[in-house]
Amino acid sequence: MRGKTVIVTGANSGIGKATAAAIVKLQGRVIMACRNQARAEEAARDIRQETGADGGQVVVKQLDLASLESVRSFCENIIKEEPRLDVLINNAGLYQCPYTRTEDGFEMQFGVNHLGHFLLTNLLLDLLKRSAPSRIVVVSSKLYKHGDINFEDLNSEQFYDKAFAYSRSKLANLLFTCELARRLEGSGVTVNALTPGIVRTNLGRHVHIPVLAKPLFNLLSWGLFKSPEDGAQTSVYLASSPDVDGAQGKCFADCKPLDLLGKATDQEVASKLWDISEVMVGITT
């Protein structure tokens, strides 16, 4: 990855931090795009200490995916300052949070996990195309299987279930990958998705576990869940491996192609979701 610039969203903890560290070890330059600047700076220090990288190889930039204004500001800064962008890793995500809304009024999980990344990717597409061959990596989840796209209530105003809303946002990630792959044919830019498996991260901070059960849960999680480093392996593989040169619109798990349910590759639904997402975030193509 020497000479390559990689953006990782949500790189201050968990899979994102492990992904950033692994890319730096491969001699790549990482821009950590994070909401919490202080935590991101702390994570960047950890990565520099772990890898021996200098300040220029690990850069922190503020990005709040729950704010379209923040996304636009971040992208303007990147386009102005960066001559090239080789890989964009859409990693950040919220998991099963209580019903809240983004700055722009979207249900938080759909707004951050799908719409924020949708706008981010679209605004950086020209830079990625100028840097071709380049790659986009989308972190989804096997929990997409429990979601569906209800175009009558994308904002969960009629009904909200935090687990279902997460699954829907992860299904939206896969449909986004499907439609973006179609649009990128012949551009020199590839997009592929992945499901990292169950990983020990702070993603589940909104999930309630009874106090008496926490020691047992923590013990089981260490035995059964992947470490962030293991969870990051497929992200790093899709960002860096020559094995996936030219791979387009696929989903991977454990660095191998994964067969998806039909609802995650439905071209008609993917195209409709794209059109509606454009309206929601205020872009036109």
Side-chain angles (χ1 to χ4, degrees), residues 89-116:
I89 303 180
N90 290 341
N91 166 83
L94 283 173
Y95 178 70
Q96 295 195 18
C97 59
Y99 187 84
T100 45
R101 294 191 181 209
T102 68
E103 182 181 287
D104 305 279
F106 306 126
E107 184 275 311
M108 187 63 74
Q109 293 187 85
F110 190 74
V112 169
N113 298 356
H114 170 61
L115 291 174

Short mmCIF file of all heavy atoms in Angstrom, two decimals, residues 89-116:
data_model
loop_
_atom_site.label_atom_id
_atom_site.label_comp_id
_atom_site.label_asym_id
_atom_site.label_seq_id
_atom_site.Cartn_x
_atom_site.Cartn_y
_atom_site.Cartn_z
N ILE A 89 -12.94 3.40 2.73
CA ILE A 89 -13.54 2.30 3.51
C ILE A 89 -14.67 2.88 4.37
O ILE A 89 -14.43 3.60 5.34
CB ILE A 89 -12.48 1.59 4.39
CG1 ILE A 89 -11.33 1.06 3.52
CG2 ILE A 89 -13.13 0.44 5.17
CD1 ILE A 89 -10.23 0.35 4.31
N ASN A 90 -15.89 2.55 3.99
CA ASN A 90 -17.09 2.99 4.72
C ASN A 90 -17.33 2.02 5.87
O ASN A 90 -18.06 1.04 5.75
CB ASN A 90 -18.29 3.03 3.77
CG ASN A 90 -18.18 4.14 2.75
OD1 ASN A 90 -17.43 5.09 2.94
ND2 ASN A 90 -18.93 4.04 1.67
N ASN A 91 -16.70 2.32 6.99
CA ASN A 91 -16.67 1.40 8.13
C ASN A 91 -17.56 1.84 9.29
O ASN A 91 -18.11 0.99 10.00
CB ASN A 91 -15.22 1.27 8.62
CG ASN A 91 -15.12 0.62 9.98
OD1 ASN A 91 -15.13 -0.60 10.11
ND2 ASN A 91 -15.04 1.43 11.03
N ALA A 92 -17.70 3.15 9.51
CA ALA A 92 -18.40 3.63 10.71
C ALA A 92 -19.84 3.12 10.75
O ALA A 92 -20.48 2.93 9.71
CB ALA A 92 -18.39 5.16 10.73
N GLY A 93 -20.34 2.90 11.95
CA GLY A 93 -21.73 2.46 12.07
C GLY A 93 -22.26 2.59 13.48
O GLY A 93 -21.50 2.55 14.46
N LEU A 94 -23.56 2.77 13.57
CA LEU A 94 -24.28 2.73 14.85
C LEU A 94 -25.08 1.45 14.91
O LEU A 94 -25.60 0.97 13.91
CB LEU A 94 -25.24 3.92 14.96
CG LEU A 94 -24.62 5.28 15.28
CD1 LEU A 94 -25.68 6.36 15.19
CD2 LEU A 94 -24.02 5.27 16.69
N TYR A 95 -25.20 0.89 16.12
CA TYR A 95 -25.85 -0.42 16.29
C TYR A 95 -26.94 -0.34 17.36
O TYR A 95 -26.65 -0.07 18.53
CB TYR A 95 -24.80 -1.46 16.67
CG TYR A 95 -25.33 -2.85 16.92
CD1 TYR A 95 -25.81 -3.63 15.87
CD2 TYR A 95 -25.34 -3.40 18.20
CE1 TYR A 95 -26.29 -4.91 16.09
CE2 TYR A 95 -25.81 -4.68 18.43
CZ TYR A 95 -26.28 -5.44 17.37
OH TYR A 95 -26.75 -6.71 17.58
N GLN A 96 -28.16 -0.53 16.92
CA GLN A 96 -29.30 -0.67 17.84
C GLN A 96 -29.39 0.45 18.88
O GLN A 96 -29.56 0.19 20.07
CB GLN A 96 -29.26 -2.05 18.52
CG GLN A 96 -29.44 -3.20 17.54
CD GLN A 96 -29.78 -4.52 18.21
OE1 GLN A 96 -30.20 -4.55 19.37
NE2 GLN A 96 -29.61 -5.61 17.50
N CYS A 97 -29.27 1.67 18.43
CA CYS A 97 -29.42 2.79 19.36
C CYS A 97 -30.91 3.11 19.55
O CYS A 97 -31.73 2.76 18.70
CB CYS A 97 -28.68 4.03 18.85
SG CYS A 97 -29.23 4.61 17.24
N PRO A 98 -31.28 3.75 20.65
CA PRO A 98 -32.67 4.18 20.83
C PRO A 98 -33.07 5.13 19.70
O PRO A 98 -32.20 5.69 19.04
CB PRO A 98 -32.65 4.90 22.18
CG PRO A 98 -31.39 4.45 22.85
CD PRO A 98 -30.42 4.13 21.77
N TYR A 99 -34.37 5.33 19.52
CA TYR A 99 -34.82 6.19 18.42
C TYR A 99 -34.34 7.63 18.63
O TYR A 99 -34.69 8.29 19.61
CB TYR A 99 -36.34 6.19 18.29
CG TYR A 99 -36.78 6.95 17.04
CD1 TYR A 99 -36.81 6.30 15.81
CD2 TYR A 99 -37.12 8.30 17.08
CE1 TYR A 99 -37.18 6.98 14.65
CE2 TYR A 99 -37.49 8.98 15.93
CZ TYR A 99 -37.51 8.31 14.72
OH TYR A 99 -37.86 8.99 13.57
N THR A 100 -33.48 8.05 17.73
CA THR A 100 -33.03 9.44 17.70
C THR A 100 -32.93 9.84 16.24
O THR A 100 -32.98 8.99 15.35
CB THR A 100 -31.66 9.64 18.38
OG1 THR A 100 -30.77 8.60 17.92
CG2 THR A 100 -31.74 9.58 19.88
N ARG A 101 -32.76 11.14 16.01
CA ARG A 101 -32.66 11.62 14.63
C ARG A 101 -31.33 12.33 14.40
O ARG A 101 -30.75 12.89 15.33
CB ARG A 101 -33.81 12.60 14.33
CG ARG A 101 -35.17 11.93 14.34
CD ARG A 101 -36.22 12.86 13.77
NE ARG A 101 -37.54 12.25 13.78
CZ ARG A 101 -38.50 12.54 12.92
NH1 ARG A 101 -38.29 13.43 11.96
NH2 ARG A 101 -39.66 11.95 12.99
N THR A 102 -30.91 12.31 13.17
CA THR A 102 -29.70 13.03 12.80
C THR A 102 -30.00 14.53 12.77
O THR A 102 -31.16 14.95 12.87
CB THR A 102 -29.19 12.60 11.41
OG1 THR A 102 -30.13 13.06 10.43
CG2 THR A 102 -29.04 11.10 11.30
N GLU A 103 -28.96 15.30 12.56
CA GLU A 103 -29.10 16.75 12.45
C GLU A 103 -30.10 17.14 11.36
O GLU A 103 -30.78 18.15 11.45
CB GLU A 103 -27.71 17.33 12.13
CG GLU A 103 -27.63 18.82 12.03
CD GLU A 103 -26.22 19.27 11.68
OE1 GLU A 103 -25.33 19.20 12.56
OE2 GLU A 103 -26.00 19.68 10.52
N ASP A 104 -30.20 16.29 10.33
CA ASP A 104 -31.08 16.59 9.19
C ASP A 104 -32.45 15.92 9.30
O ASP A 104 -33.24 15.97 8.35
CB ASP A 104 -30.38 16.17 7.90
CG ASP A 104 -29.01 16.83 7.77
OD1 ASP A 104 -28.96 17.99 7.34
OD2 ASP A 104 -28.01 16.18 8.12
N GLY A 105 -32.70 15.26 10.44
CA GLY A 105 -34.03 14.70 10.69
C GLY A 105 -34.22 13.26 10.28
O GLY A 105 -35.35 12.74 10.28
N PHE A 106 -33.14 12.54 9.93
CA PHE A 106 -33.25 11.13 9.55
C PHE A 106 -33.12 10.24 10.78
O PHE A 106 -32.39 10.57 11.72
CB PHE A 106 -32.16 10.75 8.54
CG PHE A 106 -32.10 11.64 7.33
CD1 PHE A 106 -30.91 12.26 6.96
CD2 PHE A 106 -33.24 11.88 6.56
CE1 PHE A 106 -30.85 13.09 5.85
CE2 PHE A 106 -33.19 12.71 5.45
CZ PHE A 106 -32.00 13.32 5.10
N GLU A 107 -33.80 9.09 10.74
CA GLU A 107 -33.61 8.09 11.79
C GLU A 107 -32.11 7.78 11.86
O GLU A 107 -31.46 7.60 10.85
CB GLU A 107 -34.43 6.82 11.48
CG GLU A 107 -34.37 5.76 12.57
CD GLU A 107 -33.15 4.84 12.44
OE1 GLU A 107 -32.89 4.34 11.34
OE2 GLU A 107 -32.44 4.68 13.47
N MET A 108 -31.56 7.74 13.07
CA MET A 108 -30.11 7.78 13.26
C MET A 108 -29.35 6.63 12.58
O MET A 108 -28.33 6.86 11.91
CB MET A 108 -29.79 7.80 14.77
CG MET A 108 -28.33 8.02 15.09
SD MET A 108 -27.68 9.64 14.54
CE MET A 108 -28.41 10.75 15.74
N GLN A 109 -29.83 5.40 12.71
CA GLN A 109 -29.08 4.28 12.13
C GLN A 109 -29.10 4.33 10.60
O GLN A 109 -28.07 4.13 9.95
CB GLN A 109 -29.64 2.94 12.62
CG GLN A 109 -29.42 2.73 14.12
CD GLN A 109 -29.82 1.35 14.58
OE1 GLN A 109 -29.04 0.41 14.50
NE2 GLN A 109 -31.04 1.22 15.05
N PHE A 110 -30.26 4.63 10.01
CA PHE A 110 -30.36 4.75 8.56
C PHE A 110 -29.56 5.96 8.08
O PHE A 110 -28.87 5.92 7.06
CB PHE A 110 -31.83 4.88 8.14
CG PHE A 110 -32.07 4.76 6.67
CD1 PHE A 110 -31.99 3.54 6.03
CD2 PHE A 110 -32.38 5.89 5.91
CE1 PHE A 110 -32.21 3.42 4.66
CE2 PHE A 110 -32.60 5.78 4.55
CZ PHE A 110 -32.51 4.55 3.92
N GLY A 111 -29.61 7.03 8.87
CA GLY A 111 -28.92 8.27 8.51
C GLY A 111 -27.41 8.13 8.52
O GLY A 111 -26.74 8.60 7.59
N VAL A 112 -26.87 7.50 9.55
CA VAL A 112 -25.41 7.35 9.66
C VAL A 112 -24.91 6.19 8.81
O VAL A 112 -23.98 6.33 8.00
CB VAL A 112 -25.00 7.15 11.14
CG1 VAL A 112 -23.53 6.72 11.24
CG2 VAL A 112 -25.23 8.44 11.92
N ASN A 113 -25.52 5.02 8.99
CA ASN A 113 -25.01 3.80 8.35
C ASN A 113 -25.18 3.83 6.84
O ASN A 113 -24.33 3.31 6.10
CB ASN A 113 -25.68 2.56 8.93
CG ASN A 113 -25.42 2.39 10.42
OD1 ASN A 113 -24.67 3.16 11.02
ND2 ASN A 113 -26.04 1.39 11.03
N HIS A 114 -26.29 4.41 6.36
CA HIS A 114 -26.52 4.44 4.91
C HIS A 114 -26.36 5.85 4.31
O HIS A 114 -25.47 6.08 3.50
CB HIS A 114 -27.91 3.89 4.57
CG HIS A 114 -28.30 4.13 3.14
ND1 HIS A 114 -27.57 3.62 2.08
CD2 HIS A 114 -29.32 4.85 2.58
CE1 HIS A 114 -28.12 4.00 0.94
NE2 HIS A 114 -29.17 4.76 1.21
N LEU A 115 -27.20 6.79 4.73
CA LEU A 115 -27.25 8.09 4.03
C LEU A 115 -25.95 8.89 4.14
O LEU A 115 -25.49 9.50 3.16
CB LEU A 115 -28.42 8.92 4.54
CG LEU A 115 -29.82 8.41 4.17
CD1 LEU A 115 -30.89 9.23 4.87
CD2 LEU A 115 -30.03 8.43 2.65
N GLY A 116 -25.34 8.91 5.32
CA GLY A 116 -24.08 9.64 5.49
C GLY A 116 -23.00 9.10 4.57
O GLY A 116 -22.29 9.86 3.90
#
